[in-house]
Amino acid sequence: MSFVEDRAREIAQRHNFSEIRIPLLERIDLFVRSTGETSDIVEKQMYAFVDRDEAETTVALRPEGTPSVVRAYIEAGLDRSAPEQRFFYSGPVFRRERPQKGRYRQFYQFGVEVFGRADAACDADLLIMIDDLCRDLRLPVRFEINSIGCKDCRPAFRAALIAWGRSHWDELCDDCHNRIERNPLRLLDCKIDVKLAESAPSSLDYLCEACRAHFGVVQELISAAGVKFLVNPHLVRGLDYYSRTAFEVTADGLGAQSTVVGGGRYDGLVEAMGGSSVPGIGFGIGVDRMALALQAAGLAPSDAPDAAVIAMGPAAMRQAIVVARDLRASKLKVELLSPERKLKALLGRASKIGARFAVIIGDDELARSVVQLRDLKHSSQNEVAVADAPRAIAAALAG
Ligand code: HAM
């Protein structure tokens, strides 16, 4: 997992994002006001409890990062003093969901949020950033994008969905009956009758001119940058704050939980949370899922060390400990083994941890300032000078 996070961090820095650290625990109303009262997260999935403070504040373990970043941004007065900001964050989030493969109650998100950019180039650049990460990890993914309109055009789409829902009342599931008035966009998310949901109205038919133009430019720009994508006019997000561009990225090998990244624009959120009218957009990477998808595709990097250093006795250990240090200084991953076992057992340990090389030092090697370099993959062995060991191992690994 840290491999995915390390790469995401590197790419975020290349895209000029700065890290923000956000609390694990927040007042519950932060999520009610932003993630949305009618979202599954707020309705069913938060770990919330009453604090023992005098006011008996209800707090919740964060179910996502966006609300805390928006809160911090407004509290620091950035919406007024320096509205254009780019943040990334990384860490655990908590949702009370039914655990299954790729769906956990504590999972890890790497998220980014951009404030103060309303232009479509910003949306495109974030999608390109995700593409950069997936290419870097060599993970094949599918991009699905949509526009769910803005505060001006969404009411008409909402009304069309309600009318459609009412006219199909008998065919809809119980969840969808609840959604019709409370959160009609989620009718499109029905997992029970997927076929029926396909016949529902599409958001693209209701976009105002400005939203249509914005979405057109997003597509133009990501096409120009070589990002392959599909427009899915039924894509809606489970969180309530989105406007205009919404997107999800899926990967194979995860079964039902195939979405590895989700995000979109949230132009009204900063204002709704008490700040100025500043546009925003971001995404969250499901780090666990991305790591699982890489594993399933055989693309997860090996955890095995490059070398195991073996000393045959206490005198040789004085040399071995220095050799291990020198190898690590050459950026090699090295485990120094215990000297209190026989060579056979130590070689067994070296194989068990998957070390490519065993670096063996006995009294004879110590006297002559050499090491025995045993290639455990090719079952060969040769002698090299102590000073040459890092170079010899690095060259063999590169070859
Ligand atoms: P989200 O779609 O709820 O969006 O979550 C983002 C990603 O977290 C998902 O695409 C998925 O990979 C992963 N994920 C969600 N639930 C679970 C789970 N139970 N177990 C494992 N992985 C999971 C957000 O949270 C938004 N805050 C993203 C965002 C940022 N939008 C704008 N800015």
Side-chain angles (χ1 to χ4, degrees):
M1 286 226 303
S2 62
F3 175 72
V4 173
E5 200 188 314
D6 291 348
R7 288 300 173 87
R9 210 170 256 278
E10 213 177 292
I11 284 170
Q13 270 149 1
R14 243 185 271 154
H15 282 247
N16 198 31
F17 283 86
S18 315
E19 184 165 15
I20 181 169
R21 300 267 172 124
I22 48 175
L24 281 178
L25 204 62
E26 294 270 12
R27 288 165 183 268
I28 194 169
D29 41 292
L30 175 72
F31 303 112
V32 176
R33 284 189 295 134
S34 52
T35 313
E37 244 170 314
T38 59
S39 64
D40 282 353
I41 293 179
V42 168
E43 276 192 341
K44 312 179 214 163
Q45 298 172 349
M46 275 195 297
Y47 286 94
F49 47 93
V50 178
D51 187 18
R52 288 203 200 142
D53 63 354
E54 267 176 36
E56 299 193 337
T57 314
T58 304
V59 291
L61 288 170
R62 61 182 186 203
E64 57 148 339
T66 311
S68 305
V69 179
V70 173
R71 182 191 51 68
Y73 172 79
I74 298 170
E75 272 179 19
L78 294 171
D79 55 324
R80 289 183 170 79
S81 62
E84 204 173 320
Q85 297 288 340
R86 303 161 75 78
F87 296 116
F88 77 84
Y89 50 91
S90 186
V93 288
F94 304 83
R95 295 183 191 173
R96 191 187 297 102
E97 293 194 82
R98 201 147 44 83
Q100 62 178 95
K101 183 177 172 191
R103 188 163 74 192
Y104 311 114
R105 292 181 159 186
Q106 173 172 342
F107 59 99
Y108 291 78
Q109 274 192 354
F110 185 98
V112 314
E113 312 294 348
V114 179
F115 297 100
R117 289 275 307 265
D119 57 293
C122 180
D123 309 29
D125 209 22
L126 286 193
L127 287 159
I128 290 166
M129 179 175 167
I130 300 167
D131 196 46
D132 283 347
L133 174 66
C134 297
R135 284 182 194 217
D136 206 60
L137 295 167
R138 297 193 297 131
L139 181 68
V141 289
R142 288 170 300 278
F143 281 75
E144 290 189 22
I145 64 170
N146 191 20
S147 175
I148 56 167
C150 64
K151 64 177 181 348
D152 295 329
C153 56
R154 192 147 356 101
F157 176 46
R158 210 172 172 272
L161 278 170
I162 293 174
W164 174 85
R166 289 208 181 112
S167 68
H168 290 85
W169 183 268
D170 294 342
E171 301 148 78
L172 293 176
C173 66
D174 288 346
D175 267 352
C176 284
H177 289 154
N178 286 328
R179 286 171 177 155
I180 286 183
E181 300 296 339
R182 285 171 62 73
N183 194 349
L185 262 66
R186 299 295 313 286
L187 288 171
L188 298 175
D189 248 358
C190 182
K191 304 281 181 291
I192 296 171
D193 199 338
V194 179
K195 265 253 142 333
L196 179 65
E198 276 170 14
S199 72
S202 135
S203 60
L204 297 180
D205 293 335
Y206 293 85
L207 295 184
C208 60
E209 216 26 72
C211 285
R212 189 181 307 283
H214 184 99
F215 193 45
V217 178
V218 174
Q219 293 176 66
E220 221 175 86
L221 293 177
I222 58 175
S223 301
V227 179
K228 303 254 181 312
F229 64 93
L230 185 89
V231 174
N232 174 357
H234 279 168
L235 185 143
V236 285
R237 303 268 302 130
L239 303 85
D240 287 358
Y241 44 67
Y242 291 107
S243 59
R244 290 199 164 167
T245 315
F247 52 84
E248 288 186 346
V249 179
T250 54
D252 288 334
L254 292 168
Q257 307 305 318
S258 61
T259 309
V260 290
V261 185
R265 191 163 265 293
Y266 47 83
D267 289 345
L269 184 60
V270 174
E271 195 174 9
M273 302 286 289
S276 319
S277 168
V278 178
I281 179 168
F283 62 78
I285 298 170
V287 174
D288 317 61
R289 282 190 197 171
M290 214 172 241
L292 269 180
L294 284 165
Q295 235 170 32
L299 296 167
S302 157
D303 271 346
D306 301 312
V309 175
I310 295 174
M312 306 304 299
M317 179 50 89
R318 285 196 283 279
Q319 176 76 287
I321 208 156
V322 174
V323 167
R325 189 175 198 183
D326 288 347
L327 293 175
R328 291 177 191 132
S330 302
K331 305 271 181 263
L332 295 169
K333 185 169 171 181
V334 174
E335 183 172 318
L336 177 71
L337 303 193
S338 161
E340 289 170 359
R341 290 157 80 187
K342 295 247 173 341
L343 181 61
K344 193 165 169 229
L346 290 167
L347 288 171
R349 165 80 190 159
S351 296
K352 193 167 170 208
I353 60 176
R356 169 72 192 276
F357 289 96
V359 180
I360 306 162
I361 305 170
D363 291 341
D364 178 43
E365 283 78 18
L366 177 66
R368 295 187 294 116
S369 292
V370 296
V371 301
Q372 298 300 330
L373 203 55
R374 186 173 297 194
D375 184 331
L376 296 172
K377 186 170 163 195
H378 297 117
S379 307
S380 58
Q381 181 166 318
N382 64 326
E383 187 174 289
V384 298
V386 167
D388 290 339
R391 219 173 318 129
I393 293 178
L397 289 172

